[in-house]
Amino acid sequence: MPEERAIAFSCRGAWLYGILSLPQAAARPSSRGVLIVVGGPQYRAGSHRQFTLLARDLAHAGIPAMRFDYRGMGDSEGDLQNFENVDDDLRAAIDRFVAEVPGLSEIVLWGLCDGASAAAMYAPQDPRVAGLVLLNPWVRTEEGAARATIKHYYKDRLFDARLWKKIGSGQFDVKDSVRSLWDNVGKAFGPKLDAGTAASRDGAPLPERMQGALTRFGGRVLVVLSGADLTAQEFAALSHRSGPWQRLLGTPRFTRQQIDKADHTFSRRPWQDQVSSWTRDWLRSW
Amino acid sequence: MSDPGHAHADAFFLDTPDGPRFCMYHAPRGECRGALVYVHPFAEEMNRSRRMAALGARALANQGIGVLLLDLHGCGDSAGDFGDATWDGWLRDVAQGRAWIEERLGRTAGLWGLRVGALLAVVHAQTAAVAPERLLLWQPVTNGSGYLNGFLRLRLAGELLAGGSDSGGTEALREALAADEALEIAGYTLNPQLAAGLDAADARALGPRCPISWFEVTAAAGRPLPPAAVRVADTWRLQGSRVDLVPVQGPQFWTAPETIDCPALIEATLARLETPDA
């Protein structure tokens, strides 16, 4: 059994809480550790506990893992932060991770949805970050969402992450859910999407800033996409068009995997196991 | 990084005979006025309400009430897999948490539960040798069977939305559980023992022998309390329980797709605890 350790550390006057999952002392410790960056409305356990289980899986394979709540999420203090405003939280978490695990010299940031985007934006600022694992990265723009919807929705019966969030949330009625599914489709064609479209700090659209950050970051990147998720399909569409994104994702430091049937949060155990196994294999491949 | 200027909560793994359980202990500030164990809701509702639980615990601790947040077997950061959890095991976890904080603070502890966590708190109060000091119930599930049906319907909805046909309604899923088959629902493995325990849990069965503060969150002001809640509270009163049923206006944060606060619920809870003899 991996050892698990609860930790508290501070960031801008707030206490943050996290959990370390550490390989057995007898195992040869890896100098590379994984920091799980939580996205969306989740806290450090993740939807259906996938971050808890992933961290244990990694530790079992000899890789130290840490997950934590950034300010305003889960147990941590402070106001809720937008995913574009968590650089200080990530830096504080990495500081603590490195201090807790002797011999740890390289950090891989692992994030889902806007956690992936937060990880990508942070990576070029910190030389300790050697790699990124990005699951269904959030690059939402109105135009991109509409295009992904038109292209994939009718053909493949794909669903928006928001719907799956509702399904996961418990309050449920089959007829209502099917109705709200169609409402969701309607919204993608409407004049405005309410999430992720806020003007950025430097004015450039989110996909451009992501591309800039991933270009400046010179390390390895593993991208894992769900086939049945509009957020993932919007990201995939970036690489279908020629231009800087296609060139970037075509470089050898990028590895790409997809699970065709998986939803936004990889909500079935075989999908989670596949993600975990790809993460482990990729971490050992360089 | 600037220092927060106050102590952090104590995050630790509590060793129990059933395995380690993750705990967050918020020590009372100033003179200790009470002790509570927080019992979290079921599956994804737990994740969505974690911030409200933390906000509530900090507010209560500031008022001198020590709070222990405990993750049940297979939930959150606790050991084990959700698919191995059982209802009786969860009740043992609640008792372990209560024993820990009672020893720490030297007084009988109350239980504070949300949704299915409130139902667990009620069942604990119905069966414990020493009744808890009080119950704080946030939007309690009063009928485990009805809640189980709702959870089973998530699976049917998933099947429909994935383009297939549903697998024969909740009755067919209940038959599978009765045949000792575990079900994967919304990312969680539901084992037959857990389902059976939840199915059998009924708040109406016995009025808890301690003061009860029951908070119902309604979307708009002036909405009547849900008739089902009023019926259960009345049944308990007939059995001699003292029940305050308090309506609170705010969002249903435990199911909201985005993280959302319900400050009125925390204010109402603190106000009840301020009332003498509440």
Side-chain angles (χ1 to χ4, degrees), chain A residues 6-276:
Chain A
I7 49 172
F9 54 98
S10 69
C11 174
R12 289 186 162 269
W15 286 113
L16 311 189
Y17 298 92
I19 305 284
L20 289 159
S21 297
L22 301 171
Q24 280 180 310
R28 202 159 63 90
S30 165
S31 61
R32 198 172 275 161
V34 173
L35 180 71
I36 295 170
V37 184
V38 175
Q42 287 298 327
Y43 85 116
R44 61 184 184 275
S47 295
H48 37 81
R49 286 183 97 215
Q50 63 174 323
F51 303 149
T52 302
L53 301 177
L54 172 70
R56 287 177 185 170
D57 238 28
L58 294 173
H60 197 72
I63 303 155
M66 173 173 160
R67 52 208 169 77
F68 75 109
D69 299 331
Y70 45 70
R71 277 170 294 158
M73 291 305 298
D75 286 306
S76 292
E77 297 175 350
D79 294 329
L80 274 173
Q81 303 294 319
N82 181 279
F83 73 95
E84 298 198 54
N85 197 28
V86 295
D87 288 349
D88 290 338
D89 308 63
L90 288 168
R91 188 175 301 281
I94 293 173
D95 288 348
R96 184 59 186 264
F97 195 7
V98 170
E100 287 278 339
V101 184
L104 192 63
S105 57
E106 290 185 339
I107 302 297
V108 169
L109 300 178
W110 188 109
L112 168 67
C113 193
D114 57 8
S117 307
M121 306 279 221
Y122 175 82
Q125 308 166 38
D126 190 333
R128 296 171 295 185
V129 178
L132 290 169
V133 183
L134 309 177
L135 288 89
N136 300 332
W138 177 262
V139 288
R140 177 62 49 93
T141 62
E142 287 180 38
E143 189 207 349
R147 188 179 285 128
T149 307
I150 293 164
K151 187 160 178 220
H152 297 280
Y153 191 90
Y154 295 101
K155 194 175 73 180
D156 293 326
R157 294 181 60 93
L158 297 173
F159 308 113
D160 192 291
R162 281 164 178 278
L163 178 66
W164 284 102
K165 286 178 187 170
K166 279 186 195 163
I167 287 169
S169 70
Q171 281 262 323
F172 211 79
D173 175 277
V174 175
K175 267 183 261 162
D176 274 355
S177 74
V178 173
R179 199 177 303 124
S180 81
L181 172 69
W182 293 106
D183 290 347
N184 266 9
V185 178
K187 270 183 205 144
F189 292 102
K192 204 171 141 194
L193 278 168
D194 58 0
T197 52
S200 64
R201 282 170 294 192
D202 63 5
L206 180 57
E208 275 178 41
R209 283 177 292 130
M210 283 275 283
Q211 183 251 319
L214 287 170
T215 302
R216 287 194 302 283
F217 173 67
R220 305 269 185 153
V221 183
L222 170 63
V223 176
V224 182
L225 301 180
S226 296
D229 172 48
L230 273 187
T231 300
Q233 294 313 309
E234 190 173 351
F235 182 86
L238 293 171
S239 65
H240 296 149
R241 283 179 282 163
S242 60
W245 264 110
Q246 194 173 53
R247 285 195 295 278
L248 178 69
L249 295 173
T251 56
R253 67 189 175 93
F254 279 80
T255 305
R256 197 159 133 179
Q257 301 284 8
Q258 172 158 317
I259 302 178
D260 288 339
K261 290 195 167 171
D263 57 26
H264 184 60
T265 66
F266 303 87
S267 73
R268 300 204 55 208
R269 191 54 74 86
W271 300 335
Q272 287 172 42
D273 290 345
Q274 178 67 76
V275 166
S276 184

Side-chain angles (χ1 to χ4, degrees), chain B residues 95 98 123-132 209:
Chain B
R98 201 184 135 190
V123 173
H124 170 90
Q126 287 169 340
T127 52
V130 177
R209 296 154 291 145

